[in-house]
Amino acid sequence: MNSHPNPLRSLDLFCKVVDNYGDIGICWRLARQLAHEHGLAVRLWVDDLVSFRRIWPTVDTLADTQEVCGVTVQHWRGQDGLFTPDDVADIVIEFFGCEIPPGYVEAMAQRSPKPVWFNLEGLSAEAWVEGCHTLPSPHRSLKLTKYFFFPGFNERTGGLSFEADLQARRQGFLANNEGPAFLGGLGVTAAEAQACKVSLFCYDYAPIAELFAAWQASPLAVTCLVPEGVGRAAVEAFLNAPMRAGTVATQGGLTVRVLPFVAQTDYDRLLWSCDLNFVRGEDSFARAQWAGRPFVWNIYHQDKNLHHTKLNAFLKIYDPATPAVIDLNRAWNGAYPGELDWQASWQTLQAELPALSGQAEQWVQKLLANGDWMDNLLGFARRLALEEWKSTENGLK
């Protein structure tokens, strides 16, 4: 028998955008990481190039195929199309069970050796995730098996995704005190930077007006930095003006400044520069944890309030979750029992921020011990590919 070759050189990642920026945000980070750190030929199939362009401005929304940062970006226009086995990558990933084209799946079954096929699932601290991680799912009619691969917060999951140089970049940014210059480049004044700095990225249904009222009454000044288009109705009501990048207003202890929508790498720097970050969905939720800063999470709404279960599962394991952190997270997602005293809760949380920052740094170290999601996935993929190659060589398939 010949020595085992390296069978994993190419990867196709399929992404359908449901949450405007969360889905493509995660997939774009993964695509770049897989290409740059692991040397794979990555093709990203995505159906919404407009949302993609908001987080990566060099994307051409009119191109069928384009090269962006070493990744081939394919505009995924639908489920139609004819594919041959030569069109199939060595590793095939569908994000959140997005149902890749039937013709592509049929070509996967005809390929020898067959590709390694993954369904990447959502991030959750719920206990059932550990039991489903790496479970096989045989195709109902073809000789193909798909494997579920979950991100997570412990060694019984795939871990969280992070670039190899992420922590070095963050530590350098902090050590060199680059935050003031970075924020200044976004229009933040020196006086605004001296206040408690909070980034706000949330869904429109979050109780922004209640939070703003608490900040206005705060004895310590708050500067809220919100990307253009986020929470438009509530933000424009505060500004008493259209929401455009550069617009700023102050009422009481609160200053709200509208920022331009920034690329992913600059969004990381924004998180690093703030004292507290409000994040939403999954991508910014994960990046807030790597930022080593306290945060409040706005979860994508699910029927029957299933997102409340997801929130509570995370708060149960999140080390910096003081009562004030728990209360504000629950109220922000409509899961707080009764009526929250927003002003009192905010003042408690604001006083805790220095201690919470230290705990958030410890949380980063805990997550790093679980390894990188993509490193773990590729290790598992290599074992599966070796099994497939041996079966093929032995004439079993």
Side-chain angles (χ1 to χ4, degrees):
M1 182 180 295
N2 296 329
S3 61
H4 177 227
N6 175 15
L8 304 179
R9 297 186 178 89
S10 60
L11 182 145
D12 275 354
L13 172 57
F14 290 83
C15 172
K16 282 190 175 180
V17 177
V18 179
D19 177 2
N20 287 347
Y21 311 112
D23 305 292
I24 184 56
I26 296 168
C27 289
W28 180 230
R29 289 189 194 277
L30 298 183
R32 298 201 324 272
Q33 184 183 2
L34 289 163
H36 297 168
E37 296 183 11
H38 300 282
L40 294 172
V42 178
R43 180 168 51 174
L44 173 61
W45 298 71
V46 58
D47 65 338
D48 181 356
L49 295 178
V50 174
S51 292
F52 192 177
R53 185 185 177 96
R54 291 295 301 278
I55 64 168
W56 206 262
T58 60
V59 169
D60 182 352
T61 59
L62 301 179
D64 287 332
T65 305
Q66 58 190 299
E67 292 291 322
V68 185
C69 295
V71 174
T72 300
V73 176
Q74 182 73 42
H75 190 186
W76 184 11
R77 297 185 181 276
Q79 297 290 76
D80 298 330
L82 298 175
F83 299 90
T84 70
D86 290 338
D87 297 319
V88 176
D90 299 322
I91 303 173
V92 178
I93 297 177
E94 57 184 60
F95 187 71
F96 278 9
C98 60
E99 295 186 4
I100 58 183
Y104 189 100
V105 177
E106 291 174 3
M108 288 167 60
Q110 298 166 11
R111 189 181 188 271
S112 181
K114 292 182 176 60
V116 182
W117 185 12
F118 289 110
N119 181 15
L120 294 191
E121 286 290 348
L123 176 60
S124 177
E126 295 169 276
W128 63 265
V129 167
E130 298 171 12
C132 294
H133 179 57
T134 70
L135 277 183
S137 175
H139 193 277
R140 60 182 179 275
S141 59
L142 300 173
K143 290 184 178 180
L144 287 170
T145 300
K146 176 168 54 179
Y147 293 84
F148 294 94
F149 208 86
F150 285 79
F153 304 97
N154 60 40
E155 72 283 358
R156 296 180 295 279
T157 67
L160 286 186
S161 177
F162 61 92
E163 304 91 286
D165 66 344
L166 176 61
Q167 294 307 313
R169 286 190 286 114
R170 182 174 73 93
Q171 295 299 341
F173 182 90
L174 298 176
N176 296 324
N177 194 29
E178 297 176 28
F182 170 74
L183 293 177
L186 296 176
V188 178
T189 67
E192 291 165 3
Q194 289 299 313
C196 177
K197 297 176 292 298
V198 183
S199 73
L200 180 63
F201 187 45
C202 63
Y203 297 110
D204 291 343
Y205 47 75
I208 301 171
E210 289 87 339
L211 184 63
F212 278 7
W215 284 343
Q216 288 176 68
S218 174
L220 299 176
V222 175
T223 297
C224 175
L225 306 174
V226 55
E228 186 175 17
V230 172
R232 182 179 297 277
V235 173
E236 289 187 341
F238 178 88
L239 296 172
N240 195 29
M243 190 182 189
R244 297 192 182 96
T247 305
V248 61
T250 299
Q251 296 184 36
L254 171 62
T255 297
V256 173
R257 175 174 288 279
V258 181
L259 302 182
F261 223 92
V262 297
Q264 281 186 333
T265 47
D266 280 341
Y267 182 68
D268 283 329
R269 296 185 182 99
L270 177 62
L271 296 175
W272 302 342
S273 301
C274 289
D275 303 296
L276 175 68
N277 295 299
F278 281 71
V279 294
R280 79 181 201 189
E282 185 169 321
D283 183 50
S284 60
F285 169 52
R287 301 311 282 194
Q289 294 177 67
W290 291 127
R293 289 285 189 268
F295 66 89
V296 176
W297 182 25
N298 194 194
I299 308 180
Y300 190 77
H301 192 275
Q302 293 178 287
D303 291 339
K304 300 179 181 179
N305 288 329
L306 293 178
H307 55 299
H308 291 173
T309 300
K310 189 174 182 179
L311 171 67
N312 288 325
F314 175 71
L315 292 174
K316 187 176 180 179
I317 62 131
Y318 181 52
D319 292 343
T322 64
V325 170
I326 293 171
D327 288 349
L328 195 54
N329 270 277
R330 287 176 174 166
W332 195 236
N333 289 281
Y336 184 80
E339 294 292 329
L340 179 71
D341 185 335
W342 286 86
Q343 185 175 346
S345 183
W346 166 247
Q347 291 184 13
T348 300
L349 181 60
Q350 190 175 39
E352 293 177 347
L353 286 179
L356 289 173
S357 292
Q359 294 173 36
E361 285 286 357
Q362 295 173 14
W363 179 250
V364 169
Q365 298 307 311
K366 190 173 182 178
L367 295 177
L368 287 170
N370 300 322
D372 167 56
W373 190 24
M374 290 298 99
D375 271 342
N376 294 334
L377 179 140
L378 290 177
F380 183 57
R382 292 185 191 100
R383 294 195 295 273
L384 294 174
L386 178 58
E387 293 173 5
E388 167 68 19
W389 177 78
K390 286 180 177 179
S391 297
T392 302
E393 285 288 289
N394 292 330
L396 300 179
K397 292 189 178 182

